[in-house]
Amino acid sequence: MSESVRIRRNSLFSLLSISSRLIANVILFWILARYYGPAIFGQFTFAHTLSFIFIIFADFGFDVLLTNEIARDRNRAVQIFQQYFSLKFLFTLVSLSGMWLFAFLANLPNESRIMILIFSVYMVFTTLTNFLHALYKGFERLEYETKVSLVVNVGLLVFTLILIIIKAQIILIALAFVLTRVLGFIIGIKYSIQLLKNISFKLMFSGFHKVRNKVLVFGFHLVFNYLLFQLDTVLLALWKGDYEVGIYQSVIKLILIPLVIPDILTNTLTPTLVRFNSENQAKWIKLGYVMNKFLFITALPISMIFFIYPAQIINLIYGHKNYFEAGPILQLFSIVLFIRFSFEALALMLTTADRQHVRMNVVIIATILNFTLNYFMIPWKGAYGAAVAALLTNLFVFIMYFITNATQLLNWIFNFKTITIFISSFAIVFLLLNLKTISVLLMAPIILIIFISIGYFYFFSKDEKKLIIPEDFYIQLNKWKMI
């Protein structure tokens, strides 16, 4: 199988995995909020959110580390898996104990305590299943992750809808979350045995000193990276209250949708880039360059639409009356979105070059910077101040990632085509800001078509297009030309 076919194939599987999870969660939480009311829904989402905080600790970077190490040396896959699984299992037990302690020691209603105990089991099977997904990625076999994700998310959707129809208690919904995760883990074990015949789940803690530094680097990066992008909401809740959080989160939820695109590419390309970094540096740089170009040309039109039509978009999604303050925040986050897209490839190049310690240092400093900026901005400007802090923090991260990659990747940004498109985009934004009374429903497709055309006919080379677009597309295109 050629590399281009493998990448497109894995991209499709990654899209299916992430989309199934996103769609199932959006639909389920929307239905639960409407059907059970804010009080019961609050108990449920609190326990669910708490479980994800402990999942971050249980993961502690082991998933990314396993993917990278196996992609780098598949001959030692059994030993690598067993060593990291043992540490992962230990961290999972500590997380489980932490959730139980929180449930029994915190001053909570009995219903919330039961919900947390149920979601502690959910946390265990979620984090262990994620570890198996990391194994599949190391072998670039993302179809296994897709199969497990579809069973878990479709099963969860079906079970939950049946329980809602029969008017079941919310605790049974929580048990459905646990049951589907247990089922996913069992299926995941089956696929891991198919993939790695001699796989062992026995605990082995010898040799920890050899991997200690890597574990700590990946772990602290994961924890601080999570804090970096969640801290603003927590500080808003503490310093300004629920209304400002609601306004801010209404924008965040919109921004998270296009951010699925770099997630899919990172999920797909990480093992390939790790392998290329070990085997062929020229291919490593070329594939990273194509990823960066794709994210750049994808981010521009999406960011432009958010920047030019924030009020229309907010009105369309939420209703302008209650969320009119979200418009200026969405405009700021359109720039944040572009910056996030712009540094994803740079960040991944550091990880796949075994320079994760650089990313760790950057996110730790960025988290401190973000807290400092929010300390001044939130009391002064509320949700808008948090958005300004997010913009400055993300700009800092981009600059640091660019500087640390500059010796190899300087031409990624400073080349004629990129600069030309970037400057032309400013001209388009200036023109459309004077015509922003035109409906976003009309202009958004036009903007997207313009940039798809620019990408296809001008920005990507012939070889780059072959990597992105399936060969059958060109065969069909030639047939249409002949008609």
Side-chain angles (χ1 to χ4, degrees), residues 290-306:
V290 174
M291 175 185 176
N292 188 70
K293 288 181 75 171
F294 182 83
L295 289 174
F296 172 78
I297 203 68
T298 305
L300 270 175
I302 299 172
S303 299
M304 286 168 61
I305 291 166
F306 281 146

Side-chain angles (χ1 to χ4, degrees), residues 2 56 76 80 124 183 203 233 237 244 261 302 314 330 352 366 376 423 441 450 480:
S2 69
I56 292 297
R76 294 181 57 250
I80 292 168
V124 169
L183 181 61
L203 301 183
T233 299
E244 295 285 344
I261 297 169
I302 299 172
I314 292 296
L330 179 58
T352 56
F376 293 102
I423 293 172
L441 296 176
I450 288 171
W480 293 337

